[in-house]
Each structure stands twice: as C-alpha cells, then as structure tokens.
Amino acid sequence: MINQKMQDGINGQIQAEMYSANLYLAMSAYCENKNLKGFANWLRVQYQEETFHATYLLDYLLSRGGKVRLQTIDAPPAEFGSMSDLFQKVLEHEQMVTGLINGLYEVAVAEKDVATQIFLQWYVNEQVEEEANVSEILDKLVLLGEKPSELLYLDKELALRVFVLPAVANTTKTKQA
Ligand code: OFO
C-alpha cells in the first residue's frame, strides 16, 4: 500500500501531465489554424504522449492500492506567437516538468518507497528525451529562421512523427485492445 504523501505527489503529477496534454493540444490547434500541419501533427503526438504519461501514473497508483483524485486543470493559453516562441515555451514547460519529476523522485527516496523510485526512473529518462527533442527543433528554427520556405521544410519533417505506445505500456492496463 502506498503512503499518503506519495499518493498526493502522484496525484499532483497526474494533474501536471494532463495540463501538459491540454497545452500541446492547444498549441497543435494554433498551428493547424496557421496551416502548419506538420507542426500541428508533432504537437498532437505530444498531446498523445502526455495523455499516456498521465494514465501510466494513474494505473501505477491503482496497482499500489492508492486512490486517484483527479483535480481541476487550468485552461492553457490560446496564442503562442511565432514557431520559435512556441517551441521556446515547450522547452521551458518541459524543463519545469523535469523539476516536478525530480521532486517526486526525491519524495519517493525520502519515503523509502523503492517501488516508486524504480517506476519513476522511466519518467526521469523520458524527460531527458523530451528536452532533447524539443531543443533540436528549437535549434533548427533558430538556424533556419522563420522564412516561409524554411518553415515549410521543417513542417514536412514534423509531419512524419507518429505516436508509438511506449513498450512499458505492455505490462500495464494502458495496453491497447
Ligand atoms: Fe510528460 O513529459 Fe512532457 O510534460
């Protein structure tokens, strides 16, 4: 059975992941409105990933006999500026989430909850990947500039991203039917 402090922390992280999902869905819609369908696709996949991050935590909490307490999710913004501005915001958001995951891991260590420490290692690695992916896109935006031809080149590249259910999902209730 998971203790109250760990349970509260995981519930808080579920809320943060769901906010991330909504933020990226709002960003995706913003890009779609600008006819940048590749950018919109990349962000829609990001939304799907964040939804998985939330449900994976939720299923873990249930598997430890914890109680899920879903909380109010703040509305994300609707305007994000240029594509460089938008990806700068994504990077800052992911850096903030990395801090939350690290904080949650520290709670697991302080509470001597070894199972949660092992579980959270997947999120620690995931954050390294998330920040690296976003930094790469941001670097390209800075390097190429935001002329229509350069944006369309990057738009084509980002259109190729597809959502792949992480391998860990095969061992949880999040497995697809
Ligand atoms: Fe869930 O990693 Fe982004 O926020």
Side-chain angles (χ1 to χ4, degrees):
M1 183 84 175
I2 200 157
N3 79 16
Q4 191 64 43
K5 203 163 179 191
M6 203 68 253
Q7 181 174 297
D8 292 347
I10 292 175
N11 273 315
Q13 192 61 35
I14 292 171
Q15 181 189 27
E17 300 291 348
M18 289 177 76
Y19 176 79
S20 298
N22 282 357
L23 175 65
Y24 297 139
L25 190 59
M27 287 177 164
S28 174
Y30 177 80
C31 294
E32 192 81 42
N33 276 151
K34 292 187 176 302
N35 252 320
L36 289 167
K37 293 187 184 299
F39 282 90
N41 172 66
W42 193 95
L43 288 155
R44 180 71 73 105
V45 172
Q46 195 63 23
Y47 154 78
Q48 291 172 302
E49 285 207 351
E50 298 301 348
T51 303
F52 171 75
H53 295 171
T55 52
Y56 187 39
L57 279 162
L58 184 147
D59 284 336
Y60 173 73
L61 187 53
L62 290 173
S63 74
R64 295 284 313 279
K67 282 218 161 44
V68 172
R69 297 255 183 261
L70 295 182
Q71 297 160 46
T72 308
I73 318 272
D74 289 341
E79 299 293 330
F80 300 100
S82 70
M83 289 302 107
S84 305
D85 293 339
L86 186 148
F87 272 90
Q88 182 61 41
K89 289 180 176 104
V90 174
L91 182 59
E92 283 165 14
H93 183 73
E94 285 307 322
Q95 288 166 339
M96 188 275 291
V97 172
T98 298
L100 293 178
I101 293 290
N102 291 346
L104 195 55
Y105 190 90
E106 280 164 24
V107 173
V109 172
E111 297 300 309
K112 299 187 173 41
D113 186 336
V114 178
T116 302
Q117 289 171 42
I118 293 168
F119 174 76
L120 287 175
Q121 277 168 13
W122 184 84
Y123 284 84
V124 171
N125 290 330
E126 179 71 2
Q127 282 310 120
V128 172
E129 199 185 308
E130 298 253 286
E131 285 192 32
N133 291 342
V134 178
S135 293
E136 191 183 319
I137 296 169
L138 194 54
D139 285 350
K140 282 183 185 167
L141 278 164
V142 171
L143 199 73
L144 295 171
E146 296 216 19
K147 280 185 260 145
S149 57
E150 319 297 12
L151 271 186
L152 288 177
Y153 167 79
L154 200 49
D155 195 59
K156 278 205 176 94
E157 191 180 309
L158 299 181
L160 301 176
R161 188 182 190 198
V162 289
F163 175 65
V164 179
L165 197 64
V168 287
N170 295 329
T171 58
T172 73
K173 290 179 196 149
T174 47
K175 189 172 173 178
Q176 280 177 332

